[in-house]
Amino acid sequence: MLDKSFDAAASEQRQYAQWEADGRFAAHPESNKRPFSIMMPPPNVTGTLHAGHALDNTLQDVLVRWRRMEGRDALWQPGTDHAGIATQMVVERQLAKDGIDRKQIGRDAFIERVWQWKAQSGDTITRQLRRLGASPDWSRERFTMDEGLSEAVRTVFVRLFREGLIYRDRRLVNWDPEFGSALSDIEVENRETRGSMWYLRYPLADSAGRPTDETITVATTRPETMLGDSAVAVHPEDDRYAALVGRHVVLPLTGRLIPIVADAYSDPEKGTGAVKITPAHDFNDFEVGRRHDLPMPTILDAQAKLTIAEIESDLVEIDGLSSRDFVTGIDGQPREAARRAIVAELERLGWLERVEPHTLQVPHAERGGAIVEPRLTTQWYCDAATLAKPAIEAVEQGRTVFVPRSWENTFFAWMRDIKPWCISRQLWWGHRIPAWYGPDGHVFVALDAAEAQAQARVHYGTETALEQDPDVLDTWFSSGLWPFSTLGWPRKTPEFERYYPTDVLVTGFDIIFFWVARMMMFGLHITGEVPFRTVCMHGLVRDEQGRKMSKSLGNGLDPITLIDEFGADALRFTICALTGPGRDIKLGPSRVKEYRSFVTKLWNAARFCEMNAVAPVPGFDPATATQPISHWILSETDRVIAEATAALEAFRFDEYAASLYRFTWNVFCDWLLELAKPLLAGEAGAAQDELRAVIAHVLGTLLRLMQPVMPFVTETLWESFGFGGSGTLAAADWPQPGLAPAGAAEAREEIDWLTRLIGELRALRTEMGVAPSVLAPLLLRDAAPRTLARAERWSEALRRMGRVCEIAVLGGSLPKGAAQLVLDEATLVIPLEGIVDLEAERARLGKERARLVAEREKSQRKLDNPDFVARAKPEVVEENRDRVAGWSADIERLDAALSRLG
RNA sequence: GGGCGCGUAGCUCAGCGGUAGAGCACUGCCUUGACAUGGCAGGGGUCACAGGUUCAAACCCUGUCGCGCCCA
């Protein structure tokens, strides 16, 4: 006997353990089934499950569980990411609590600490994924810093280096001064910030290089960088400044002479139209500097402190304009302090013209939040533009398809304008770059130290000590290899042969650049094949008000709390129900609570079945069912199978959930079980046996359809009903339509008639204010023999659901105080003496008549339009003719009913 | 500034060329023997706005307004 309510917590623990013990999640590369593979986006190894993971993994789990039932050999590849910056930051903070700096303990000891931290917290998120019910093949779990995956990283690095697609370059890079590392473009987020626009006057120099009274005013948001200016740029077509191009200005504070150059980068509309050029501290200025071959002095160091080393020798003392003492005095100041000092000094000397409030975009490190500083350094780069071409083609040709398709535009836009990818990071935690340097700086790139040493021997002709590059690779470099490195590549493995390219990637659009693009580039270049055939993009999880979840708002949702409170099935179903194509979802406890009642509804429906001795009948064939109710529910079941399957095929998780919800609640519970009640409570016999067998069959089908989204409650019911042993629903067959036997169309019509009749009766009684306890006769007038037979057949259901006490044919005149209904060819008379008032009934029928007349008008107007009849599709015209005819007949019957009232 | 998306019932959203829908919320009735985590019935919408295409527009096109995101 089923408990009064579903105990989610107990079921979850037991079922999950059972599935794992039975190896239900395992891929079978040796099998001859058709493979189906999904790569789980690897979460941060030391992270915890957030709402975004819950969404992403629920969708993947639904797909995987469904495909397994379809008989595919499914590989859902799990694993975790070492998340270089994030993880190193966490461990550094831990050390900082004990007052330790990582440099004090050294690289090896620090890395040891990170591994310890990983060992301690590394399985948190995989445990949490289990709570969610996720069913990846845990036996194949991988970590980006596993030896195999690290070998893949080295192999790819060496290969790309040899192909010239990885190289070292000295150029401007995004620098995180707090962390002391380079970042890639996309790890920087621009935040709108209120700041100022400073207008600085620079004096023009005469031919001897001395300052004159003439000045040019430049506008800048970063006055402190003026010490590193190497030009002033004006637009080539800006008449105001045409005469000044080629002359020089004397840079205040430093006394250095810098040229005025013409460059289209300068926008005549902005500021004064003249802009200071600081090539070592601004990306646009860097390009201008390259075009005009300008010097590029660096004036901020790795900590973003002022450094004058590169300008010191050029400092010139000019009274009222520049001062060596001032400049040397602020050497080593943080950039903010340096700015204040420089602005104050310029103002004191009269070179600050004015200051205006100004909002600007300030680059911040995506992780950590430090203000990013452009900095001139030598880093390793990957030639992303070259790698992007085949990736773009693959999507253009549809070898990889985005769902929804519109994301392809975002992908194209970014890929077509991709910049060199800075892949080196000045961190300790990560894949160390497989490059070694000789004493003269010559670089040897090799799979390991021994191979590098061998190269050096050849190069130098003698044994020479080498030093490995201290830097590590961007984390996304290794995650870009995930679809094949997890399958054993670069070794030839059966897994790689079988599961690559993968079928689907499910991920949020926020990492389309970070991850999807990199996997496409690497996958195609390294293996020659796309990494996945379909990319299913979903949105972000927001809170119930639609706000982005953030630590600062404190509105983050903990999926585990939701699971504790409402059960994993409820959370999973909620996620599916809310996941429209590519749209953000608004999630919160109230939404999950809403859908928990659906889990409860299913449970109670099953309980009812159990109490009525509904149980699977071995060998039962639905095709042998004979009763209309059986035919009807089997054809409804066919429909839900088709709908659910089509929805999953189209990645429409919302439609999948909605079709299950509708069928379970509005068909199975509201009609099938209600109509079955009198039959189940009635005489035993073949009809009752058939009905029980059919209900059991439908319930079993329903459990199978729901297993992917609600694995726990369905598995529990599956076992209790004896559909199969414990934990076997996950391995059951996916239902196929075709259950309804011949004659189902007739049965559909009959049950449709019955439900319409009951609906009309209920509405009428409510409108008349008839208490449910009062039963009323149902008299049929002008009813066809078939209608009479149907009414007779369903008399008990009509009694219970329509509150009808007896059914009879009405030939003569209308009884006193009777209400009338028009249904198809028949008029139904419901005598309710003492309740129905003649005037009220007349008004009610009149209102109904008016409604039908209005409906008929709409269609008639169309038919009166010759263009409509001539041009509309014939079936549409026909449909409207039918409607008009139907309504006309109904109106006639209503008129008859009205005249009978007298 | 460029691109993408969204504006449909109080809320969350589906529908994307042929009679405006669902869930939740709301109102009324119902302690009927699966479920009050329930049942039954009901109210509620110039489908942001303005043009256009079409026999027919929430749906297609153009523009406007508002909101969001991404890229400069």
Side-chain angles (χ1 to χ4, degrees), chain A residues 755-791:
Chain A
T755 57
R756 281 187 295 133
L757 171 54
I758 291 171
E760 294 279 4
L761 286 170
R762 283 167 167 172
L764 173 76
R765 295 175 59 100
T766 299
E767 196 166 344
M768 293 289 161
V770 186
S773 54
V774 176
L775 301 192
L778 175 65
L779 309 176
L780 292 94
R781 186 187 192 100
D782 306 331
R786 189 178 65 174
T787 305
L788 293 172
R790 284 171 173 174

Side-chain angles (χ1 to χ4, degrees), chain A residues 38 91 95 124 140 166 206 243 283 384 402 732 744 825 833-834 839:
Chain A
I38 296 190
V91 177
L95 288 173
T124 301
R140 298 173 179 275
I166 281 180
D206 62 19
F283 285 95
F402 284 66
E825 87 290 356
E833 199 172 352
E839 277 314 307

Side-chain angles (χ1 to χ4, degrees), chain A residues 240-311:
Chain A
R240 293 172 296 177
Y241 300 113
L244 300 182
V245 173
R247 289 186 62 183
H248 286 71
V249 298
V250 184
L251 188 63
L253 306 186
T254 69
R256 193 162 76 232
L257 275 182
I258 59 174
I260 296 172
V261 300
D263 195 287
Y265 161 64
S266 175
D267 182 351
E269 307 290 318
K270 267 191 191 160
T272 60
V275 60
K276 65 194 246 348
I277 299 298
T278 323
H281 296 283
D282 180 282
F283 285 95
N284 290 312
D285 292 6
F286 180 76
E287 296 304 323
V288 176
R290 277 197 164 173
R291 283 196 286 272
H292 298 273
D293 203 18
L294 299 172
M296 303 190 174
T298 290
I299 56 112
L300 291 170
D301 67 10
Q303 283 84 47
K305 289 179 181 157
L306 196 72
T307 174
I308 60 167
E310 295 186 20
I311 57 167

Side-chain angles (χ1 to χ4, degrees), chain A residues 86-123:
Chain A
T87 307
Q88 177 158 333
M89 224 150 53
V90 169
V91 177
E92 281 194 26
R93 276 191 204 131
Q94 288 172 356
L95 288 173
K97 276 187 201 146
D98 303 330
I100 303 170
D101 185 275
R102 72 178 152 106
K103 296 191 183 74
Q104 283 169 254
I105 59 174
R107 184 167 189 142
D108 291 345
F110 179 79
I111 289 175
E112 187 50 38
R113 292 288 290 258
V114 184
W115 280 107
Q116 280 169 18
W117 167 240
K118 187 228 168 216
Q120 182 192 327
S121 72
D123 60 346

Side-chain angles (χ1 to χ4, degrees), chain A residues 567-709:
Chain A
D569 289 327
L571 175 62
R572 294 165 60 106
F573 196 86
T574 306
I575 286 171
C576 269
L578 299 181
T579 297
R583 285 186 75 134
D584 289 353
I585 70 169
K586 293 176 191 164
L587 188 65
S590 70
R591 305 309 305 273
V592 184
K593 192 177 170 189
E594 255 168 60
Y595 285 104
R596 183 188 50 184
S597 57
F598 178 62
V599 180
T600 307
K601 186 73 181 178
L602 173 69
W603 181 263
N604 282 309
R607 259 183 97 229
F608 171 82
C609 291
E610 190 193 39
M611 292 163 88
N612 283 278
V614 168
V617 176
F620 172 72
D621 178 5
T624 62
T626 59
Q627 299 174 83
I629 190 171
S630 305
H631 287 186
W632 162 75
I633 192 61
L634 288 167
S635 86
E636 288 290 329
T637 307
D638 277 344
R639 180 182 293 184
V640 71
I641 295 169
E643 281 174 3
T645 308
L648 288 173
E649 277 164 357
F651 302 98
R652 286 301 302 263
F653 300 96
D654 55 342
E655 287 181 355
Y656 166 63
S659 69
L660 297 176
Y661 190 102
R662 268 195 308 269
F663 178 79
T664 305
W665 207 306
N666 305 122
V667 178
F668 190 79
C669 291
D670 290 349
W671 290 106
L672 174 66
L673 296 187
E674 292 303 326
L675 291 173
K677 276 176 184 175
L679 301 168
L680 293 172
E683 249 177 88
Q688 207 184 55
D689 291 345
E690 177 193 298
L691 184 58
R692 286 207 176 91
V694 168
I695 294 175
H697 193 86
V698 172
L699 178 63
T701 303
L702 189 52
L703 293 177
R704 285 185 285 153
L705 287 177
M706 293 202 289
Q707 193 275 145
V709 60

Side-chain angles (χ1 to χ4, degrees), chain A residues 130-144:
Chain A
R130 286 175 166 91
R131 288 290 316 275
L132 186 66
S135 66
D137 186 347
W138 292 115
S139 70
R140 298 173 179 275
E141 187 180 342
R142 296 288 184 271
F143 175 52
T144 45

